[in-house]
Amino acid sequence: MLLAEVADTSRALAATRSHLAKRALLVDLLRRTPPADVPIVAHYLGGELRQRRTGLGWRSLAQLPEPATEPTLTLADVDATFAQMAQLSGPGSTTQRQALTARMFAAATAPEQELLRGLVTGELRQGALDALLLDAVAEAAGVPATTVRRAAMLAGATAPVASAALGAGGPDEAASVLAGFGLTVGRAVRPMLAQSATDVATALTDVGPGPAVVDAKLDGIRIQVHRHDDDVRVFTRSLDDITARVPEIVDLVRTLPGGPLVLDGEALVVDDTGRPVAFQDTAARAASGDAQVAAQYVLRPFFFDVLHADGDDLLDEPLHDRLAVLGRLLADHPAASIDRVVTTDPDEAGTHLRGVLAAGHEGVVVKALDSPYEAGRRGGAWVKVKPRHTLDLVVLAVEWGSGRRRGLLSNIHLGARDGEGGFVMLGKTFKGMTDEMLRWQTERFTELATTPLDDWVVHVRPEQVVEIAFDGLQRSTRYPGGLALRFARVVRYRDDKTPAEADTIDTVRALATGAS
């Protein structure tokens, strides 16, 4: 199959907001895809390469050859090229990778270059979310969407499920093959996710009538732990296996009673008082197997759900039954439990939220007490509540967009006042921007530009104030202020404020230390 067919579908997906139209486009392409190419198509439509690391990034794609006039690249050719890049290492690997990149992009047409660039950078804005792709697989294969979703949840990935469903000899065979995907201890499943609400009263209403569980939301690393006999494996939210890097978690889980287990939870580092350390210290510990780092930062697991215990799958059991099982498992390890209340009272839930925040955690997750574990879905049975931090910052520079944002100024550089007439950069973001906002800011920052518009990064006069929401702050050696925003997104542009009214770096530092 030619890459051009996927590129054309990707462009059409980006051009429409209609979910029905997007699904129809996906179904049409999937029905035309040869079975051998289905895994590649599933990954590309989901906005990612099959290879986790290729060594390519923005800088590698700064200067591309002129696009080809006719499509010749096949999906198999492209996938093989990226696989070759992923295997390169050592002296000369950079030169080889550059040569492979130049050859592939020279053979790509303009739409194909756009697709490839978006896949490499992770910024393919086509709106083909995984849930929509799964629905398209179901329609193309002629099986219920719930059957496909459950198989993908248990497989931990869309591609093998798409291959199984579309490679079957009809709807009946597809349904039978998909039914064979089950929970296997030792193979990670997609974690259940939560929607968001602005306050606990709204969250309680969202999860439905009756008592709800209000769990502390910890700012750690999501973990899924599997135990079979003495073999323990630990996976992250993205289903990466980090077992070798977290021996303290492995050791604790080995001591839990009973047989095979699958647990869901968070891991984080806490100080001597029990308060969480900075998230980046937890993240660095989870990413490192270094003995010195492990000795300095000990990861503690906090489990809030159980998916399997003693040979019984618990995914379809109500939450209150799963928590009863979890309580028995953790009876001798109360420190590995999540702080929670069960209530229908918004005031009680609000009191719990304030206590959780005072303890240094992120917020709470409100959960329907009768809900099953809907792995891989952001359903309405779990609703998270986190306080939103905002700052009024100044735009210092802006980068040209790619993919759907090609030709528009997109990624903005954000700065706080330093008290001496200058600004201190705190990070970048392209999140939260509507199409209308992108068009407006392209015109606005073109007017404010102080460097050539054909540069990738366009510096601007520090005159435009923007309100930014963010989830927290972390230490940074990259920025002179020593801090960086976490998960920054645009709320609105503040034409009613001057740069002199923007927040200062002292205000930001006070937030970072928890000062009022």
Side-chain angles (χ1 to χ4, degrees):
M1 187 176 207
L2 289 175
L3 178 67
E5 295 184 66
V6 180
D8 290 342
T9 298
S10 178
R11 275 196 162 185
L13 288 167
T16 179
R17 293 183 178 277
S18 167
H19 277 212
L20 289 177
K22 287 180 185 290
R23 188 171 68 186
L25 289 165
L26 294 170
V27 170
D28 176 65
L29 181 64
L30 290 170
R31 284 176 172 163
R32 291 186 279 116
T33 302
D37 289 334
V38 167
I40 306 174
V41 170
H43 275 87
Y44 289 8
L45 292 177
E48 63 181 16
L49 297 172
R50 289 215 294 175
Q51 297 74 23
R52 295 296 297 269
R53 293 179 178 84
T54 61
L56 294 180
W58 282 108
R59 292 184 182 276
S60 309
L61 308 180
Q63 293 183 333
L64 296 177
E66 288 295 316
T69 56
E70 295 293 332
T72 59
L73 284 173
T74 68
L75 286 171
D77 291 338
V78 171
D79 186 60
T81 299
F82 282 125
Q84 188 175 350
M85 291 182 191
Q87 294 172 355
L88 293 174
S89 63
S93 60
T94 299
T95 301
Q96 295 178 61
R97 190 174 287 108
Q98 289 173 342
L100 289 169
T101 302
R103 188 181 308 130
M104 180 172 61
F105 275 86
T109 62
E112 290 172 326
Q113 284 193 357
E114 183 178 306
L115 172 66
L116 291 171
R117 183 169 191 150
L119 290 170
V120 168
T121 60
E123 293 188 12
L124 188 64
R125 298 180 182 88
Q126 58 188 8
L129 299 177
D130 189 67
L132 190 59
L133 179 57
L134 290 173
D135 287 347
V137 169
E139 184 175 338
V143 295
T146 53
T147 301
V148 174
R149 291 182 193 137
R150 185 176 180 86
M153 141 188 125
L154 296 169
T158 295
V161 171
S163 292
L166 298 172
D172 291 341
E173 183 180 337
S176 177
V177 170
L178 294 177
F181 286 89
L183 190 153
T184 300
V185 178
R187 183 179 69 191
V189 303
R190 289 177 170 175
M192 186 168 178
L193 306 175
Q195 294 185 1
S196 297
T198 56
D199 55 71
V200 289
T202 301
L204 286 168
T205 300
D206 288 347
V207 300
V213 174
V214 185
D215 275 352
K217 187 179 189 310
L218 310 185
D219 190 15
I221 303 297
R222 184 80 175 264
I223 56 170
Q224 185 181 119
V225 184
H226 293 236
R227 184 187 73 183
H228 188 276
D229 294 330
D230 202 40
D231 181 32
V232 175
R233 300 183 69 188
V234 184
F235 302 93
T236 65
R237 171 175 167 157
S238 57
L239 310 188
D240 293 320
D241 190 332
I242 60 169
T243 306
R245 301 200 293 269
V246 293
E248 60 267 67
I249 296 176
V250 172
D251 290 344
L252 184 145
V253 172
R254 281 179 176 152
T255 69
L256 298 181
L261 283 176
V262 180
L263 299 166
D264 193 1
E266 294 270 341
L268 65 156
V269 179
V270 299
D271 62 22
D272 293 339
T273 69
R275 292 181 65 84
V277 301
F279 172 79
Q280 65 196 107
D281 291 329
T282 288
R285 170 63 191 87
S288 173
D290 183 85
Q292 289 186 333
V293 175
Q296 182 181 4
Y297 297 113
V298 178
L299 277 172
R300 277 184 51 188
F302 294 83
F303 297 113
F304 52 74
D305 216 325
V306 54
L307 285 59
H308 179 98
D310 292 327
D312 294 327
D313 289 346
L314 303 176
L315 294 166
D316 297 323
E317 300 301 315
L319 177 59
H320 59 78
D321 288 352
R322 302 200 306 275
L323 292 182
V325 173
L326 183 63
R328 291 193 294 271
L329 290 169
L330 300 180
D332 294 332
H333 298 277
S337 298
I338 291 287
D339 188 16
R340 63 167 52 95
V341 298
V342 178
T343 185
T344 59
D345 183 2
D347 290 336
E348 184 179 3
T351 299
H352 184 55
L353 170 60
R354 289 189 291 274
V356 168
L357 294 173
H361 299 299
E362 269 196 317
V364 295
V365 182
V366 179
K367 305 175 180 180
L369 199 55
D370 60 353
S371 60
Y373 191 96
E374 298 177 290
R377 291 185 59 77
R378 198 178 293 278
W382 287 14
V383 181
K384 59 187 175 183
V385 181
K386 298 192 299 182
R388 188 180 73 167
H389 306 289
T390 63
L391 289 168
D392 290 329
L393 302 174
V394 175
V395 179
L396 307 178
V398 62
E399 300 172 6
W400 288 103
S402 63
R404 185 168 173 244
R405 295 188 180 190
R406 183 181 295 276
L408 296 170
L409 288 170
S410 175
N411 202 10
I412 55 176
H413 297 204
L414 304 164
R417 287 191 295 124
D418 65 6
E420 298 178 2
F423 297 91
V424 180
M425 188 171 172
L426 294 171
K428 312 175 186 180
T429 190
F430 55 80
K431 303 290 187 181
M433 298 172 181
T434 63
D435 290 344
E436 181 180 357
M437 190 180 292
L438 283 163
R439 288 191 293 270
W440 177 87
Q441 71 183 39
T442 299
E443 182 178 345
R444 170 65 169 158
F445 295 135
T446 297
E447 296 171 352
L448 297 178
T450 59
T451 57
L453 290 174
D454 55 0
D455 289 347
W456 181 253
V457 177
V458 179
H459 292 268
V460 299
R461 297 195 304 274
E463 298 179 7
Q464 181 61 55
V465 178
V466 59
E467 184 179 353
I468 296 293
F470 60 100
D471 285 2
L473 293 152
Q474 63 185 34
R475 296 189 309 274
S476 172
T477 57
R478 181 177 183 181
Y479 300 125
L483 292 169
L485 303 173
R486 290 184 58 211
F487 304 112
R489 60 266 186 204
V490 174
V491 177
R492 56 176 172 158
Y493 279 104
R494 298 295 304 265
D495 291 329
D496 58 328
K497 284 197 171 186
T498 67
E501 297 174 280
D503 285 305
T504 67
I505 188 64
D506 288 339
T507 298
V508 178
R509 287 172 178 149
L511 284 172
T513 58
S516 58

